[in-house]
Amino acid sequence: MTQMTFARAINSGLRKSLEDDPKVILMGEDIGTLGGVFRVTDGLQKDFGKHRVVDTPLAESAIVGTAVGLAYRGYRPVVEIQFDGFIYPAFDQIVSQVAKMHYRTLGTVKMPITIRVPFGGGIGSPEHHSESPEAYFTHTSGLRVVAVSNPQDAYTMIQQAIRCDDPVLFFEPKRRYHDKGDVDEGLHLPNALPMDTASVLTEGTDVTLVAYGPLVKTARDAATAAADEGISIEVIDLRSLAPVDYATVEKSVRKTGRLVITHEAGQSGGLGAEVAASITERCFYHLEAAPVRVTGFDVPYPYSKVEMHHLPGLDRILDGVDRALGQPNSLSGLEG
Amino acid sequence: MSTDETGQGGTTVGVAAGGTEDHHGSGRNLIQLITPEGERISHPEFDPWVKDIGDEQLCSLFEDLTVIRRIDVEATALQRQGELGLWPPLLGQEAAQVGSARALRSDDFIFSSYRENGVAYCRGVGPTDILRVWRGNASSGWDPYTVNMATPQIIIGAQTLHATGYAMGIQNDGADSVAVTYFGDGATSEGDVNEAMVFAASFQVPVVFFCSNNHWAISEPVRLQSHVQLADRAAGFGIPNLRVDGNDVLAVMAATRVALDRARHGGGPTFIEAVTYRMGPHTTADDPTRYRDANELEDWAAKDPIERVKALLDRKGLYTDQFQQHIREKADQVARELRAGCIGMPEPEPLDVFKHVYSSPNSWLDRQQDHYARYLASFGDPAEAASQEGAR
Ligand SMILES: Cc1ncc(C[n+]2csc(CCOP(=O)(O)OP(=O)(O)O)c2C)c(N)n1
């Protein structure tokens, strides 16, 4: 076990992948000499050379579009989109090309492309630097979407994503990049939890609280705070957003009878809606209350002085937990 | 996969191909009217375009350059003191911004990137308004229609399409104003910029593409973006181009006037490459020592856009004690205004989060706003709620 930051853990996982497979190739803006604006790729170009760790021109559509060609040629490109808000120029290549190529070619052409995206808010950035675009991609068939929440997962899941023959959108919560945690770099990948599996972080009996990426820490803190008030929360880190591991969530909700889902992305058409609907279908007779969503608002990501209102915090999550439990909450007395 | 990092050469016209020289200011068509030593040199083709710039105007340009640098220094300091979230310094690029902006008519419309704060100043945007966005207090600092300048664009190159569309509108309206768009050298790699040039050329609309080649896109040198001089890219789209010493305020003004004149008279788009240098970091979050050679900075410091005008004024006997004092007072006053305006900016209200998403009621959002208002009210003190929420 080694203590390292989230950013370092991804760096270490990337390094391992570059060592293990000569077909792995990293591309992105500023990832070489600078080591990425978050230093996630720090030192990799120095050690693996400019042909394996490639500083690209400023062209997101080209970064992803050329990865398609490299994948055709048998490479496993790992591309970095510098910030969440800059993925849209590449959107067409991702949803029309990357996602559909395997289907289109009747399974003959594989697209083992990993698209790394620092995402989410809470770092006081200007416009386009704090987005949560995951729902666009979970809505697109052919893509796998994951969001990591801690250094150990970051280390293993980046390697799993790179080894996966399907394209993977790999969301990294940028406000957690400097958080430290234990990482077992010796962990044998086949022994690690599969990438498409959710994990139960704290066991509980009253409410199931589902989170992913940056809000996993907040959700755990909420569970700790709730425990002081005698409320037992089971926290689930979704990890995979497409597909969602419903078996794990379902099992928990059958036990607790109550579900709260939280994410930074806006509510409407978000992943919370999908989880609420699917769990309602699967567990209708086990639910004691309607699933509750605690999310960002349906607004463009706000300027930094008010972003803390948009982001679900511990208290807003607990207010949602109270709603699920039918206890006094901010919406008491309101219908629906 | 590799990029030939020996520099840009290949099809470049003029200067020897292959060297990096062409990006350091001595390349083909590099229009210059004032040397780095402050000598006014004649240029038969471009002199006529600045013949109205007499002593008084020159002093006024010097004032702009100095004040803009002072705004930049002050804003950088405010960021270091935690008063601004971020700041993109324009140190070294003052002449490119002032020379072009002062060439425009007030009804010409600008679509810029985040770095053109000097252009905004020249358009009459108040210094405090320039800071609003960087402080995180608002999503835009000014009303685009009062100064005919769109709010700054962060998505690299997106604004070039907006300018081209605006110019299509000008053309349809039969007006003689011009749309001007500013972007960096890195931006020329983006699809948007290339698509903007396709439209601009196809429809021959009155738009000026003003590319500030400051040599770096964060850590990436310009040679990674292009193997020809940036100005030459325009030729492939059928767009006439000019390559100008971007640290020479007069030359930039002359070149911009040529482009504007062409646009106003139905001559269509022009691409200007202003060869300049970003002397500071990309933003206050950047560390240029990780990727940039200190000698390079030194070379460019010798071509400082302000020093050369100062030297020219000195040669002409205009750089008097009285003038210096006037400039100092003006810069001090703007700096004071900037600092007071920044610190005194009112804090936004929690429910401002919901403002301006739509221009008419939206039932989804109204419900969310109502619920959040109830949530805030459930705390005795709303300020306490705010301090407890989010970001942890
Ligand atoms: C579409 C997009 N991709 C990436 C970024 C991140 N980014 C911000 S500025 C920058 C470099 C821009 O360089 P250049 O166009 O030369 O302009 P300069 O900042 O040097 O003025 C990058 C990569 C962005 N803002 N937008």
Side-chain angles (χ1 to χ4, degrees):
Chain A
M1 287 286 178
T2 321
Q3 271 266 322
M4 62 176 85
T5 63
F6 208 115
R8 192 78 217 164
I10 301 171
N11 181 285
S12 183
L14 289 170
R15 174 178 294 278
K16 190 90 181 21
S17 300
L18 283 161
E19 279 165 0
D20 289 351
D21 183 351
K23 291 295 186 189
V24 171
I25 186 164
L26 272 48
M27 302 200 295
E29 296 162 5
D30 301 296
I31 69 167
T33 319
L34 186 66
V37 292
F38 293 105
R39 309 287 183 260
V40 169
T41 52
D42 201 12
L44 297 178
Q45 187 182 66
K46 201 168 138 275
D47 295 345
F48 294 92
K50 289 183 175 176
H51 296 261
R52 307 260 337 256
V53 181
V54 183
D55 266 335
T56 66
L58 260 71
E60 289 76 13
S61 184
I63 291 171
V64 175
T66 57
V68 170
L70 280 159
Y72 244 105
R73 177 89 193 161
Y75 283 88
R76 306 186 88 82
V78 183
V79 305
E80 175 179 295
I81 299 295
Q82 195 161 75
F83 275 89
D84 35 40
F86 311 148
I87 199 166
Y88 306 113
F91 194 71
D92 174 60
Q93 285 292 332
I94 297 171
V95 303
S96 304
Q97 307 301 328
V98 173
K100 297 182 169 75
M101 201 61 80
H102 191 251
Y103 192 70
R104 181 185 297 150
T105 60
L106 307 177
T108 50
V109 179
K110 304 238 184 309
M111 286 287 123
I113 300 173
T114 303
I115 302 174
R116 293 186 36 241
V117 191
F119 87 125
I123 62 165
S125 273
E127 240 195 330
H128 310 297
H129 289 74
S130 299
E131 312 224 332
S132 300
E134 59 271 21
Y136 295 115
F137 302 105
T138 59
H139 192 67
T140 300
S141 307
L143 302 174
R144 289 179 185 274
V145 182
V146 304
V148 284
S149 73
N150 62 79
Q152 179 68 63
D153 277 356
Y155 174 74
T156 47
M157 285 170 75
I158 189 67
Q159 294 181 66
Q160 291 167 327
I162 293 169
R163 286 179 184 217
C164 178
D165 277 341
D166 292 324
V168 180
L169 267 291
F170 193 87
F171 285 103
E172 302 167 8
K174 64 177 90 81
R175 69 161 134 147
R176 306 288 181 215
Y177 270 144
H178 301 299
D179 288 5
K180 282 193 171 164
D182 279 332
V183 176
D184 178 3
E185 289 176 284
L187 182 69
H188 202 49
L189 273 195
N191 298 337
L193 193 62
M195 186 176 72
D196 56 4
T197 307
S199 78
V200 179
L201 298 182
T202 60
E203 306 234 351
T205 51
D206 296 333
V207 181
T208 300
L209 174 58
V210 172
Y212 57 85
L215 288 186
V216 169
K217 177 177 183 298
T218 318
R220 294 184 83 150
D221 293 346
T224 307
D228 291 343
E229 295 173 27
I231 301 170
S232 165
I233 297 182
E234 181 144 310
V235 179
I236 295 182
D237 179 357
L238 222 42
R239 292 170 19 111
S240 176
L241 314 186
V244 166
D245 171 14
Y246 282 117
T248 298
V249 184
E250 192 180 331
K251 186 162 165 245
S252 173
V253 172
R254 279 172 192 265
K255 179 173 68 174
T256 63
R258 300 175 199 271
L259 173 65
V260 175
I261 311 124
T262 187
H263 54 64
E264 290 185 9
Q267 179 169 298
S268 304
L271 198 63
E274 166 59 30
V275 173
S278 294
I279 289 301
T280 305
E281 284 171 359
R282 288 157 199 249
C283 307
F284 187 66
Y285 294 104
H286 292 82
L287 282 168
E288 307 278 347
V292 170
R293 288 170 288 169
V294 181
T295 68
F297 305 120
D298 292 344
V299 303
Y301 195 86
Y303 38 98
S304 58
K305 282 279 167 72
V306 289
E307 69 177 335
M308 68 288 209
H309 292 289
H310 173 74
L311 294 170
L314 182 150
D315 292 305
R316 198 136 71 85
I317 291 175
L318 291 178
D319 188 70
V321 167
D322 287 340
R323 228 174 300 152
L325 285 166
Q327 294 189 352
N329 64 82
S330 70
L331 302 185
S332 293
L334 267 190
E335 287 202 310
Chain B
M1 293 308 304
S2 73
T3 302
D4 171 12
E5 303 217 18
T6 56
Q8 299 184 302
T11 58
T12 307
V13 190
V15 288
T20 50
E21 231 352 72
D22 49 355
H23 279 293
H24 287 260
S26 62
R28 172 199 70 106
N29 287 351
L30 193 76
I31 305 156
Q32 193 175 65
L33 300 179
I34 308 173
T35 66
E37 294 72 35
E39 187 189 347
R40 175 72 171 84
I41 48 175
S42 71
H43 195 307
E45 195 186 340
F46 290 92
D47 278 343
W49 292 94
V50 287
K51 66 174 185 299
D52 59 317
I53 305 296
D55 290 352
E56 202 182 314
Q57 288 79 5
L58 207 55
C59 287
S60 158
L61 288 172
F62 182 78
E63 178 186 308
D64 284 343
L65 294 169
T66 313
V67 169
I68 285 165
R69 178 163 294 184
R70 185 61 182 274
I71 289 175
D72 202 55
V73 168
E74 194 69 21
T76 303
L78 282 164
Q79 197 283 333
R80 300 292 182 223
Q81 292 157 8
E83 298 293 344
L84 297 180
L86 190 75
W87 178 253
L90 59 82
L91 187 70
Q93 299 181 222
E94 295 87 352
Q97 298 197 12
V98 170
S100 56
R102 288 294 182 211
L104 305 181
R105 237 166 47 187
S106 63
D107 62 339
D108 295 330
F109 204 101
I110 298 170
F111 293 86
S112 81
S113 88
Y114 42 83
R115 206 181 295 284
E116 277 78 27
N117 293 305
V119 173
Y121 172 81
C122 290
R123 294 304 274 186
V125 176
T128 306
D129 291 338
I130 292 175
L131 297 192
R132 232 169 265 288
V133 164
W134 303 106
R135 189 163 165 83
N137 270 55
S139 36
S140 76
W142 63 83
D143 170 358
Y145 293 115
T146 60
V147 288
N148 284 340
M149 178 169 178
T151 50
Q153 179 61 244
I154 286 181
I155 298 297
I156 301 298
Q159 72 276 18
T160 59
L161 285 165
H162 308 162
T164 301
Y166 191 96
M168 289 163 71
I170 293 175
Q171 190 184 52
N172 274 356
D173 296 344
D176 76 341
S177 54
V178 178
V180 181
T181 180
Y182 289 85
F183 50 99
D185 41 295
T188 62
S189 296
E190 292 280 2
D192 277 3
V193 176
N194 290 276
E195 294 184 29
M197 288 201 271
V198 169
F199 268 52
S202 291
F203 301 127
Q204 286 296 296
V205 295
V207 59
V208 174
F209 293 95
F210 192 97
C211 177
S212 297
N213 175 3
N214 68 6
H215 286 79
W216 291 92
I218 309 188
S219 72
E220 302 189 335
V222 62
R223 61 183 176 271
L224 179 64
Q225 314 291 338
S226 181
H227 263 245
V228 296
Q229 289 182 348
L230 297 176
D232 287 336
R233 283 209 158 161
F237 295 95
I239 297 178
N241 58 80
L242 297 166
R243 194 158 185 268
V244 63
D245 181 338
N247 285 10
D248 175 346
V249 70
L250 266 197
V252 172
M253 179 177 271
T256 310
R257 283 175 165 182
V258 167
L260 291 167
D261 187 66
R262 178 180 291 145
R264 282 195 219 296
H265 293 99
T270 301
F271 184 105
I272 297 173
E273 177 188 356
V275 180
T276 181
Y277 193 75
R278 186 196 88 209
M279 298 212 281
H282 168 71
T283 66
T284 44
D286 175 42
D287 173 13
T289 63
R290 288 181 75 105
Y291 54 81
R292 196 161 81 174
D293 185 353
N295 294 331
E296 189 181 287
L297 183 58
E298 245 170 64
D299 290 350
W300 279 94
K303 299 177 193 170
D304 189 288
I306 300 186
E307 290 303 318
R308 73 175 70 181
V309 182
K310 186 194 283 180
L312 175 59
L313 292 176
D314 206 20
R315 280 168 195 256
K316 287 168 157 276
L318 297 168
Y319 197 66
T320 59
D321 288 351
Q322 195 192 352
F323 178 66
Q324 289 182 50
Q325 191 185 338
H326 160 73
I327 294 292
R328 209 175 312 122
E329 279 169 8
K330 173 78 187 183
D332 284 349
Q333 174 221 321
V334 173
R336 267 196 309 275
E337 192 187 323
L338 184 83
R339 176 166 287 270
C342 176
I343 292 167
M345 225 178 267
E347 291 289 306
E349 297 293 326
L351 294 182
D352 285 357
V353 173
F354 299 97
K355 274 192 190 159
H356 309 304
V357 183
Y358 300 97
S359 54
S360 54
N362 174 288
S363 56
W364 289 2
L365 196 57
D366 291 350
R367 186 171 186 271
Q368 290 180 16
Q369 174 165 348
D370 176 48
H371 285 190
Y372 191 57
R374 285 170 193 270
Y375 169 78
L376 291 177
S378 74
F379 289 79
D381 172 10
E384 182 199 333
S387 72
Q388 299 206 344
E389 262 324 309
R392 57 185 195 186

